């Protein structure tokens, strides 16, 4: 049985979803936020590049945001996985994992992405502590320190060239066949970046702090951190199941996050290439403005 109609159902309680909830709640919109409790940076100890909050723990930012949302009786937050969303006439039907379905006039999907870790035994223990994805987020902590880039082909070279700005004490590890052209090799050599094409057998360190990469031959390279840029995939398939169209870079949407399906919006890592918390929050706020504008138009049309 479907019990209730909200103005907006927000799927995702990370920075993008919570920011949208704040703007919509303050716009007197009845909002429900679903949060399955899995955040992209949950393994990290400290977040950076967020003005006013630089260096705080990721969970602290979320706790603070949720506490501020509790001031607004227009916003409900649920710790629930959403398993499906479908259209029912003018509204959407949201199906949470363990509660009754409910209806909403609009939907914002802010469900983030999952990083696909390089296939190296034990790497999970270091992820977010000394194995990182983003030089802007964590490069400062390793400025001029011994660092490895893990990556193949053009992506690996691109990350190595970027990270060289933070530390010249850099090696590129391709964990098998490198896919590097002679031109790539020449450019790396000019910058003094050695290439290790051998497979990494294991990582050594303690309490999440990397100390060394051990190669299959037994060779050891002492490093304080690894940066990698392998693939990622959406944490949920909700946009796809709603029929949103995709382009090469991801889901198709306009600058406000409006997707190809009327009434369905997207924000945060699920939507765009620049993946920073402050940008996810800004995208959530921007989508919220667009949603409220669309709801206002709808409200006025119904009154005429
Ligand atoms: C290790 C690491 C460190 C990082 N450090 C930084 C940093 O220092 N600074 C920075 O700016 N960025 C950093 N980032 C990037 C940052 O984590 C993301 O840009 C940011 O989390 C994106 O926010 P989001 O709200 O889009 O997604 P997320 O924070 O991933 O939140 C997704 C939300 O969707 C929910 N969800 C997913 N599917 C469902 C479903 N079906 N039903 C209900 N809920 C669902 C999840 O539970 C979660 O609440 C880091 C990333 C990583 C991997």
């Amino acid at each position: 049985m479907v019990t209730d109609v909200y103005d907006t159902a927000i799927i995702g309680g990370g920075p993008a979803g919570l920011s949208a909830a704040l703007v919509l709640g303050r716009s007197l919109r009845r909002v429900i936020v679903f949060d399955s409790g899995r955040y992209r940076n949950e393994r990290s100890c400290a977040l950076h590049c967020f003005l006013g909050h630089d260096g705080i723990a990721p969970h602290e930012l979320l706790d603070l945001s949720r506490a501020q949302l509790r001031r607004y009786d227009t916003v409900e937050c649920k710790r629930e996985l959403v398993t499906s969303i479908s259209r029912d006439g003018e509204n959407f039907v949201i199906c949470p994992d363990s509660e009754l379905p409910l209806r909403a006039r609009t939907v914002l999907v802010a469900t983030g992405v999952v990083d696909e870790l390089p296939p190296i035994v034990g790497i999970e223990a270091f992820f977010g502590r000394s194995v990182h994805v983003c030089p802007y987020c964590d490069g400062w902590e390793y400025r001029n320190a011994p660092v490895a880039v893990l990556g193949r082909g053009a992506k690996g070279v691109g990350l190595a060239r970027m990270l060289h700005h933070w530390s010249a004490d850099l090696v590129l590890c391709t964990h098998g066949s490198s896919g590097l052209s002679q031109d790539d090799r020449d450019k790396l050599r000019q910058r003094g970046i050695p290439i290790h094409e051998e497979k990494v057998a294991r990582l050594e360190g303690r309490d999440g702090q990397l100390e060394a990469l051990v190669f299959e031959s037994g060779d050891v390279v002492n490093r304080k951190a690894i940066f990698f840029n392998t693939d990622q995939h959406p944490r949920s398939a909700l946009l796809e199941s709603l029929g949103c169209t995709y382009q090469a870079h991801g889901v198709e949407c306009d600058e406000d996050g409006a997707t190809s399906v009327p009434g369905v919006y997207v924000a945060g890592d699920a939507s765009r290439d620049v993946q920073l918390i402050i940008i996810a929050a800004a995208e959530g706020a921007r989508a919220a403005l667009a949603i409220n504008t669309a709801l206002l138009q709808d409200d006025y049309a119904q009154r005429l």
Side-chain angles (χ1 to χ4, degrees), residues 13-287:
L18 295 181
S19 173
L22 179 61
V23 176
L24 284 165
R26 287 182 54 81
S27 308
L28 306 180
R29 292 297 173 189
R30 207 166 153 237
V31 175
I32 186 158
V33 180
F34 290 99
D35 178 353
S36 63
R38 296 301 312 273
Y39 316 98
R40 183 172 174 213
N41 59 345
E42 63 197 8
R43 303 291 301 276
S44 166
C45 295
L47 66 85
H48 301 105
C49 296
F50 195 124
L51 188 64
H53 295 296
D54 190 55
I56 71 168
H59 73 84
E60 273 185 71
L61 180 69
L62 295 176
D63 290 347
L64 189 62
S65 305
R66 289 186 203 110
Q68 292 180 349
L69 283 174
R70 281 197 283 277
R71 294 177 196 152
Y72 300 95
D73 62 2
T74 43
V75 178
E76 278 173 63
C77 292
K78 298 251 178 201
R79 179 54 66 92
E80 271 283 335
L81 179 79
V82 169
T83 52
S84 71
I85 307 176
S86 55
R87 200 179 255 293
D88 175 25
E90 295 197 336
N91 296 319
F92 295 92
V93 178
I94 322 297
C95 292
D97 199 27
S98 61
E99 290 197 13
L100 291 176
L102 53 88
R103 287 194 294 158
R105 297 167 68 192
T106 54
V107 170
L108 174 66
V109 176
T111 47
V113 297
V114 177
D115 297 279
E116 293 168 13
L117 294 182
I120 295 173
V121 176
I123 196 168
E124 298 83 6
F126 298 92
F127 182 49
R129 304 293 165 118
S130 53
V131 171
H132 303 287
V133 287
C134 167
Y136 293 100
C137 302
D138 297 294
W140 168 267
E141 280 62 39
Y142 302 100
R143 58 197 184 283
N144 305 319
V147 171
V149 162
L150 199 55
R152 289 188 180 148
K155 278 176 84 174
V157 174
L159 183 57
R161 289 173 72 176
M162 180 191 272
L163 206 61
H164 190 261
H165 172 72
W166 276 269
S167 175
D169 187 354
L170 189 65
V171 298
L172 173 63
C173 302
T174 60
H175 191 52
S177 165
S178 67
L180 296 178
S181 65
Q182 192 54 49
D183 187 45
D184 290 333
R185 290 173 191 278
D186 291 344
K187 284 186 176 137
L188 291 168
R189 196 179 52 245
Q190 281 159 15
R191 284 180 165 76
I193 303 174
I195 307 165
H196 292 264
E197 297 190 54
E198 205 184 332
K199 285 211 163 185
V200 179
R202 64 178 194 280
L203 303 179
E204 284 186 349
R206 58 176 61 185
D207 300 330
Q209 178 52 60
L210 183 74
E211 288 166 7
L213 292 84
V214 182
F215 293 92
E216 284 184 343
S217 63
D219 285 355
V220 175
V221 174
N222 293 324
R223 299 282 104 179
K224 285 195 165 170
I226 293 173
F227 284 76
F228 72 93
N229 60 1
T230 45
D231 289 339
Q232 50 182 226
H233 59 264
R235 192 175 285 284
S236 87
L238 294 172
L239 287 167
E240 219 176 324
S241 70
L242 277 160
C244 297
T245 54
Y246 280 74
Q247 292 179 330
H249 67 274
V251 69
E252 200 176 345
C253 65
D254 70 10
E255 289 181 344
D256 295 326
T259 69
S260 56
V261 176
V264 177
Y265 295 75
V266 61
D269 284 7
S271 67
R272 305 234 169 77
D273 274 350
V274 181
Q275 297 178 334
L276 287 177
I277 295 164
I278 201 161
I279 291 178
E283 286 178 12
R286 187 166 182 168

